[in-house]
Amino acid sequence: METVARGLQKSVAGRRIVSVRLGKTDFIDDPAALEQHLPGRQIEKVERYGKFMLLRLSARGTSAAGSENGDAEAASLLVHLGMTGQLAPCATAEPSLKHTHVWFALDDGRELRYTDPRRFGRMAYLTGALLAEELTAFGADPLLVSANEFAESIRSRNAQIKALLLNQGVLRGVGNIYADESLWRAKIHPMRRGTELSKKQAQVLRRVLQDVLRKAILARGSSISDFLDAEGEPGEYQRHHRVYGREGKRCYRCGTAIRRVIVAGRSSHFCPKCQPAPRLRTGTVRTKPKRRSGLGAS
Ligand SMILES: [Zn+2]
Protein backbone atom coordinates (compact mmCIF):
# COMPACT_ATOMS: atom_id res chain seq x y z
CA MET A 1 0.00 0.00 0.00
CA GLU A 2 2.88 2.31 0.77
CA THR A 3 4.34 1.82 -2.69
CA VAL A 4 0.91 2.18 -4.34
CA ALA A 5 0.25 5.42 -2.47
CA ARG A 6 3.66 6.79 -3.42
CA GLY A 7 3.20 5.84 -7.03
CA LEU A 8 -0.14 7.62 -7.15
CA GLN A 9 1.27 10.65 -5.40
CA LYS A 10 3.79 10.92 -8.23
CA SER A 11 1.44 10.16 -11.07
CA VAL A 12 -1.84 11.89 -10.21
CA ALA A 13 -1.26 14.50 -7.48
CA GLY A 14 -2.08 17.93 -8.87
CA ARG A 15 -4.56 16.59 -11.43
CA ARG A 16 -8.20 17.59 -11.40
CA ILE A 17 -11.03 15.06 -11.60
CA VAL A 18 -13.22 15.99 -14.54
CA SER A 19 -15.88 13.32 -14.34
CA VAL A 20 -16.74 10.06 -12.63
CA ARG A 21 -18.13 6.90 -14.19
CA LEU A 22 -19.17 3.92 -12.10
CA GLY A 23 -19.69 0.24 -12.82
CA LYS A 24 -20.51 -2.09 -9.96
CA THR A 25 -20.83 -0.06 -6.79
CA ASP A 26 -21.40 -2.54 -3.96
CA PHE A 27 -18.04 -1.65 -2.40
CA ILE A 28 -18.72 2.09 -2.44
CA ASP A 29 -20.25 3.72 0.65
CA ASP A 30 -22.40 6.23 -1.22
CA PRO A 31 -21.90 6.00 -4.99
CA ALA A 32 -24.05 9.05 -5.75
CA ALA A 33 -21.80 11.19 -3.56
CA LEU A 34 -18.80 10.32 -5.72
CA GLU A 35 -20.60 11.31 -8.90
CA GLN A 36 -21.96 14.44 -7.34
CA HIS A 37 -19.02 15.79 -5.40
CA LEU A 38 -15.81 14.63 -7.05
CA PRO A 39 -15.86 16.34 -10.46
CA GLY A 40 -14.03 19.66 -10.33
CA ARG A 41 -11.86 18.75 -7.38
CA GLN A 42 -8.11 18.55 -7.56
CA ILE A 43 -6.22 15.59 -6.11
CA GLU A 44 -3.86 17.41 -3.79
CA LYS A 45 -2.12 14.55 -2.10
CA VAL A 46 -2.21 10.78 -1.80
CA GLU A 47 -1.56 9.45 1.70
CA ARG A 48 -1.40 6.01 3.15
CA TYR A 49 -3.33 5.33 6.33
CA GLY A 50 -2.59 1.82 7.49
CA LYS A 51 -4.36 -0.43 5.05
CA PHE A 52 -6.08 2.26 3.07
CA MET A 53 -5.25 5.36 1.11
CA LEU A 54 -6.66 8.83 1.21
CA LEU A 55 -6.81 10.98 -1.86
CA ARG A 56 -6.92 14.46 -0.38
CA LEU A 57 -9.10 16.64 -2.56
CA SER A 58 -9.28 20.40 -2.91
CA ALA A 59 -12.42 22.37 -2.33
CA ARG A 60 -14.53 22.67 -5.44
CA GLY A 61 -14.78 25.93 -7.30
CA THR A 62 -11.25 27.01 -6.25
CA SER A 63 -10.44 29.26 -3.34
CA ALA A 64 -11.08 32.40 -5.37
CA ALA A 65 -14.61 31.51 -6.41
CA GLY A 66 -15.67 29.94 -3.11
CA SER A 67 -18.83 28.11 -4.04
CA GLU A 68 -21.62 27.98 -1.47
CA ASN A 69 -23.14 24.59 -2.14
CA GLY A 70 -21.24 22.66 0.50
CA ASP A 71 -18.42 21.85 -1.88
CA ALA A 72 -16.29 24.74 -0.75
CA GLU A 73 -14.88 22.37 1.83
CA ALA A 74 -11.88 20.13 1.25
CA ALA A 75 -12.77 16.45 1.04
CA SER A 76 -11.13 13.08 0.74
CA LEU A 77 -11.67 9.90 -1.14
CA LEU A 78 -10.90 6.85 0.96
CA VAL A 79 -9.75 3.82 -0.99
CA HIS A 80 -9.19 0.39 0.49
CA LEU A 81 -7.84 -2.00 -2.10
CA GLY A 82 -9.04 -5.10 -0.29
CA MET A 83 -7.36 -8.25 -1.52
CA THR A 84 -7.38 -7.65 -5.23
CA GLY A 85 -8.05 -3.97 -5.85
CA GLN A 86 -5.91 -1.77 -8.06
CA LEU A 87 -6.02 1.95 -8.61
CA ALA A 88 -3.91 3.27 -11.44
CA PRO A 89 -3.93 5.93 -14.14
CA CYS A 90 -4.28 4.83 -17.76
CA ALA A 91 -4.54 6.49 -21.12
CA THR A 92 -8.23 6.99 -21.86
CA ALA A 93 -7.82 5.22 -25.17
CA GLU A 94 -6.58 2.12 -23.45
CA PRO A 95 -9.27 -0.54 -23.22
CA SER A 96 -10.50 -1.09 -19.67
CA LEU A 97 -9.49 -4.27 -17.93
CA LYS A 98 -12.16 -6.71 -16.94
CA HIS A 99 -13.49 -5.89 -13.46
CA THR A 100 -12.90 -2.16 -13.79
CA HIS A 101 -15.62 -0.52 -11.71
CA VAL A 102 -14.62 3.13 -11.37
CA TRP A 103 -13.25 5.58 -13.94
CA PHE A 104 -12.13 9.03 -12.86
CA ALA A 105 -11.44 11.16 -15.91
CA LEU A 106 -8.54 13.51 -15.20
CA ASP A 107 -7.83 16.93 -16.66
CA ASP A 108 -4.72 15.71 -18.47
CA GLY A 109 -6.70 13.30 -20.62
CA ARG A 110 -5.92 10.18 -18.59
CA GLU A 111 -8.25 8.12 -16.46
CA LEU A 112 -7.67 6.90 -12.95
CA ARG A 113 -9.26 3.46 -12.90
CA TYR A 114 -10.22 1.18 -10.07
CA THR A 115 -10.12 -2.50 -10.88
CA ASP A 116 -11.09 -5.20 -8.43
CA PRO A 117 -12.17 -8.75 -9.39
CA ARG A 118 -13.39 -9.63 -5.92
CA ARG A 119 -14.58 -6.24 -4.70
CA PHE A 120 -13.44 -6.77 -1.10
CA GLY A 121 -12.19 -3.21 -1.11
CA ARG A 122 -13.99 -0.07 -0.09
CA MET A 123 -14.36 3.39 -1.48
CA ALA A 124 -15.92 6.34 0.31
CA TYR A 125 -16.27 10.05 -0.20
CA LEU A 126 -15.62 11.76 3.13
CA THR A 127 -15.70 15.31 4.38
CA GLY A 128 -15.21 17.07 7.69
CA ALA A 129 -16.69 15.15 10.59
CA LEU A 130 -17.01 11.85 8.74
CA LEU A 131 -13.38 11.92 7.74
CA ALA A 132 -12.26 12.85 11.24
CA GLU A 133 -14.28 9.95 12.59
CA GLU A 134 -12.60 7.50 10.22
CA LEU A 135 -9.17 8.80 11.11
CA THR A 136 -9.43 8.93 14.90
CA ALA A 137 -9.05 5.18 15.01
CA PHE A 138 -5.64 5.50 13.42
CA GLY A 139 -2.41 6.77 14.83
CA ALA A 140 0.24 8.74 13.01
CA ASP A 141 2.13 7.48 9.98
CA PRO A 142 5.52 6.53 11.43
CA LEU A 143 7.31 7.82 8.34
CA LEU A 144 5.57 11.20 8.39
CA VAL A 145 5.09 11.91 12.09
CA SER A 146 6.92 15.03 13.27
CA ALA A 147 9.46 14.86 16.08
CA ASN A 148 7.20 16.81 18.41
CA GLU A 149 4.11 14.84 17.58
CA PHE A 150 5.96 11.59 18.14
CA ALA A 151 7.53 12.67 21.44
CA GLU A 152 4.22 13.96 22.70
CA SER A 153 2.20 10.88 21.87
CA ILE A 154 4.81 8.55 23.42
CA ARG A 155 5.66 10.58 26.50
CA SER A 156 2.05 11.26 27.40
CA ARG A 157 1.28 7.55 27.70
CA ASN A 158 2.12 5.32 30.62
CA ALA A 159 2.05 2.04 28.70
CA GLN A 160 5.23 0.12 27.97
CA ILE A 161 7.10 1.49 25.00
CA LYS A 162 6.94 -1.79 23.09
CA ALA A 163 3.17 -1.82 23.43
CA LEU A 164 3.00 1.81 22.32
CA LEU A 165 4.99 1.14 19.18
CA LEU A 166 2.64 -1.71 18.27
CA ASN A 167 -0.52 0.22 19.12
CA GLN A 168 -2.24 1.15 15.84
CA GLY A 169 -3.91 4.05 17.61
CA VAL A 170 -0.49 5.57 18.30
CA LEU A 171 1.43 4.64 15.16
CA ARG A 172 0.17 2.86 12.12
CA GLY A 173 1.79 -0.20 10.70
CA VAL A 174 4.76 -0.86 12.99
CA GLY A 175 5.18 -4.62 13.28
CA ASN A 176 6.82 -6.62 16.04
CA ILE A 177 10.19 -7.05 14.35
CA TYR A 178 10.52 -3.36 13.55
CA ALA A 179 9.60 -2.39 17.10
CA ASP A 180 12.35 -4.64 18.54
CA GLU A 181 14.93 -3.49 16.03
CA SER A 182 14.16 0.17 16.71
CA LEU A 183 14.29 -0.21 20.49
CA TRP A 184 17.64 -1.95 20.27
CA ARG A 185 19.04 0.79 18.08
CA ALA A 186 17.71 3.46 20.41
CA LYS A 187 18.97 1.52 23.47
CA ILE A 188 15.56 1.54 25.12
CA HIS A 189 14.26 -1.43 27.10
CA PRO A 190 10.91 -2.69 25.72
CA MET A 191 9.30 -2.44 29.16
CA ARG A 192 10.12 1.18 29.75
CA ARG A 193 7.05 3.36 30.15
CA GLY A 194 6.31 6.02 27.59
CA THR A 195 6.20 8.59 30.36
CA GLU A 196 9.71 7.60 31.45
CA LEU A 197 11.36 8.47 28.16
CA SER A 198 13.21 11.74 27.86
CA LYS A 199 12.51 14.02 24.96
CA LYS A 200 15.92 13.16 23.58
CA GLN A 201 15.21 9.42 23.76
CA ALA A 202 11.92 9.93 21.96
CA GLN A 203 13.74 11.83 19.23
CA VAL A 204 16.32 9.10 18.82
CA LEU A 205 13.62 6.42 18.79
CA ARG A 206 11.68 8.19 16.05
CA ARG A 207 14.80 8.57 13.94
CA VAL A 208 15.87 4.94 14.16
CA LEU A 209 12.30 3.69 13.71
CA GLN A 210 12.02 5.63 10.46
CA ASP A 211 15.38 4.32 9.37
CA VAL A 212 14.42 0.72 10.11
CA LEU A 213 11.11 1.05 8.27
CA ARG A 214 12.68 2.70 5.24
CA LYS A 215 15.27 -0.04 4.98
CA ALA A 216 12.57 -2.67 5.28
CA ILE A 217 10.57 -1.04 2.51
CA LEU A 218 13.62 -0.89 0.28
CA ALA A 219 14.55 -4.49 0.99
CA ARG A 220 11.07 -5.72 0.19
CA GLY A 221 10.13 -3.25 -2.44
CA SER A 222 6.67 -3.43 -0.99
CA SER A 223 4.55 -1.85 1.69
CA ILE A 224 4.94 -2.04 5.41
CA SER A 225 1.38 -3.17 5.84
CA ASP A 226 2.02 -6.15 3.61
CA PHE A 227 4.22 -7.69 6.23
CA LEU A 228 2.92 -6.02 9.34
CA ASP A 229 3.23 -9.05 11.53
CA ALA A 230 5.44 -11.28 9.50
CA GLU A 231 7.22 -13.05 12.32
CA GLY A 232 10.61 -14.31 11.24
CA GLU A 233 9.93 -13.45 7.66
CA PRO A 234 12.42 -14.82 5.17
CA GLY A 235 14.25 -12.73 2.71
CA GLU A 236 16.44 -9.76 2.40
CA TYR A 237 15.44 -7.80 5.45
CA GLN A 238 16.33 -10.58 7.86
CA ARG A 239 19.99 -9.99 7.15
CA HIS A 240 19.54 -6.57 8.69
CA HIS A 241 18.11 -7.87 11.97
CA ARG A 242 20.28 -6.78 14.85
CA VAL A 243 18.25 -8.20 17.70
CA TYR A 244 15.00 -9.78 16.56
CA GLY A 245 15.11 -13.58 16.68
CA ARG A 246 18.62 -13.57 18.18
CA GLU A 247 17.85 -14.86 21.67
CA GLY A 248 21.01 -16.21 23.34
CA LYS A 249 23.26 -14.81 20.64
CA ARG A 250 25.71 -12.01 21.27
CA CYS A 251 24.66 -8.39 21.00
CA TYR A 252 26.30 -6.83 17.94
CA ARG A 253 27.15 -3.79 20.01
CA CYS A 254 28.44 -5.12 23.31
CA GLY A 255 28.59 -8.90 23.11
CA THR A 256 26.07 -9.57 25.89
CA ALA A 257 23.61 -12.41 25.26
CA ILE A 258 20.32 -11.18 23.78
CA ARG A 259 17.26 -11.97 25.87
CA ARG A 260 13.64 -12.47 25.05
CA VAL A 261 10.68 -11.42 27.17
CA ILE A 262 6.98 -11.19 26.49
CA VAL A 263 5.73 -7.61 26.41
CA ALA A 264 2.21 -6.71 25.35
CA GLY A 265 1.71 -10.37 24.51
CA ARG A 266 4.52 -10.36 21.97
CA SER A 267 8.05 -11.74 21.90
CA SER A 268 10.46 -8.94 22.58
CA HIS A 269 14.19 -9.26 22.03
CA PHE A 270 16.60 -6.94 23.75
CA CYS A 271 20.15 -6.61 25.01
CA PRO A 272 20.09 -6.46 28.81
CA LYS A 273 23.18 -4.30 28.85
CA CYS A 274 22.53 -1.82 26.04
CA GLN A 275 18.85 -1.55 26.96
CA PRO A 276 18.81 -1.29 30.75
CA ALA A 277 15.65 -2.46 32.50
CA PRO A 278 13.40 0.20 33.97
CA ARG A 279 13.68 0.90 37.66
CA LEU A 280 11.17 -0.94 39.79
CA ARG A 281 8.22 1.23 40.50
CA THR A 282 6.90 -0.53 43.55
CA GLY A 283 5.95 1.21 46.75
CA THR A 284 9.01 -0.05 48.59
CA VAL A 285 11.72 2.52 48.69
CA ARG A 286 15.11 1.07 48.10
CA THR A 287 17.74 3.39 49.38
CA LYS A 288 20.57 1.20 48.25
CA PRO A 289 19.62 -0.32 44.95
CA LYS A 290 21.06 -3.77 44.76
CA ARG A 291 22.72 -4.25 41.44
CA ARG A 292 24.11 -7.37 40.01
CA SER A 293 27.76 -6.92 39.46
CA GLY A 294 28.95 -7.65 35.99
CA LEU A 295 26.22 -5.61 34.39
CA GLY A 296 27.30 -2.27 35.74
CA ALA A 297 30.97 -2.51 34.97
CA SER A 298 31.79 -1.67 31.45
ZN1 LIG B 1 24.33 -4.86 23.87
Side-chain angles (χ1 to χ4, degrees):
M1 196 57 114
E2 178 74 29
T3 31
V4 176
R6 281 198 209 179
L8 285 173
Q9 168 69 22
K10 275 190 199 141
S11 60
V12 302
R15 302 269 54 94
R16 198 171 291 277
I17 296 173
V18 177
S19 64
V20 176
R21 186 154 63 92
L22 303 176
K24 289 191 177 153
T25 58
D26 53 357
F27 62 98
I28 302 176
D29 282 18
D30 178 2
L34 266 66
E35 295 176 310
Q36 202 182 331
H37 298 291
L38 289 188
R41 291 184 186 265
Q42 188 184 35
I43 302 169
E44 293 184 328
K45 208 172 165 197
V46 181
E47 296 172 342
R48 181 184 72 99
Y49 277 79
K51 302 222 172 217
F52 60 87
M53 283 184 294
L54 273 190
L55 276 64
R56 298 275 189 180
L57 306 168
S58 69
R60 194 145 75 164
T62 68
S63 46
S67 70
E68 301 295 324
N69 57 356
D71 277 344
E73 195 187 358
S76 288
L77 181 70
L78 175 149
V79 180
H80 189 315
L81 298 178
M83 314 269 293
T84 53
Q86 281 186 312
L87 185 66
C90 306
T92 305
E94 213 172 291
S96 294
L97 293 168
K98 206 178 166 187
H99 307 298
T100 300
H101 304 298
V102 182
W103 295 259
F104 300 111
L106 302 176
D107 63 353
D108 62 358
R110 291 179 303 162
E111 277 178 346
L112 182 60
R113 295 177 185 167
Y114 182 77
T115 310
D116 191 351
R118 299 173 76 174
R119 301 198 306 284
F120 287 158
R122 180 183 166 209
M123 202 175 274
Y125 169 81
L126 299 169
T127 51
L130 275 180
L131 178 61
E133 201 178 294
E134 288 277 349
L135 294 186
T136 43
F138 292 89
D141 184 324
L143 291 175
L144 299 176
V145 65
S146 74
N148 281 338
E149 205 187 329
F150 182 84
E152 213 165 277
S153 69
I154 293 294
R155 297 178 69 225
S156 64
R157 288 173 160 95
N158 197 37
Q160 294 171 325
I161 185 65
K162 173 71 184 270
L164 290 175
L165 290 179
L166 296 179
N167 183 338
Q168 296 295 308
V170 177
L171 292 168
R172 303 190 299 265
V174 177
N176 196 34
I177 297 171
Y178 310 105
D180 279 8
E181 291 294 314
S182 305
L183 289 172
W184 181 82
R185 280 169 166 81
K187 302 186 184 175
I188 297 170
H189 192 283
M191 288 178 165
R192 290 281 295 278
R193 305 267 161 192
T195 46
E196 290 171 352
L197 295 196
S198 68
K199 212 168 184 176
K200 172 91 184 156
Q201 282 177 310
Q203 280 171 0
V204 171
L205 181 58
R206 169 180 164 272
R207 207 187 59 228
V208 297
L209 174 65
Q210 293 187 337
D211 189 49
V212 162
L213 293 175
R214 283 199 193 98
K215 279 189 180 131
I217 290 171
L218 280 179
R220 296 285 291 226
S222 71
S223 74
I224 304 175
S225 49
D226 283 349
F227 51 99
L228 242 186
D229 272 323
E231 298 275 357
E233 95 271 39
E236 179 70 15
Y237 185 74
Q238 217 165 34
R239 289 202 274 124
H240 300 288
H241 289 179
R242 303 279 92 185
V243 70
Y244 184 84
R246 301 193 65 248
E247 185 182 7
K249 295 189 178 136
R250 297 202 168 278
C251 170
Y252 282 118
R253 206 159 32 209
C254 74
T256 306
I258 297 296
R259 283 197 206 150
R260 186 173 69 95
V261 286
I262 301 294
V263 186
R266 306 296 300 272
S267 267
S268 301
H269 302 78
F270 68 101
C271 168
K273 186 171 176 194
C274 294
Q275 296 164 265
R279 280 187 217 101
L280 288 176
R281 307 206 316 160
T282 53
T284 38
V285 182
R286 288 219 239 143
T287 40
K288 262 194 214 161
K290 229 177 161 184
R291 299 180 90 199
R292 280 179 187 278
S293 56
L295 278 189
S298 55

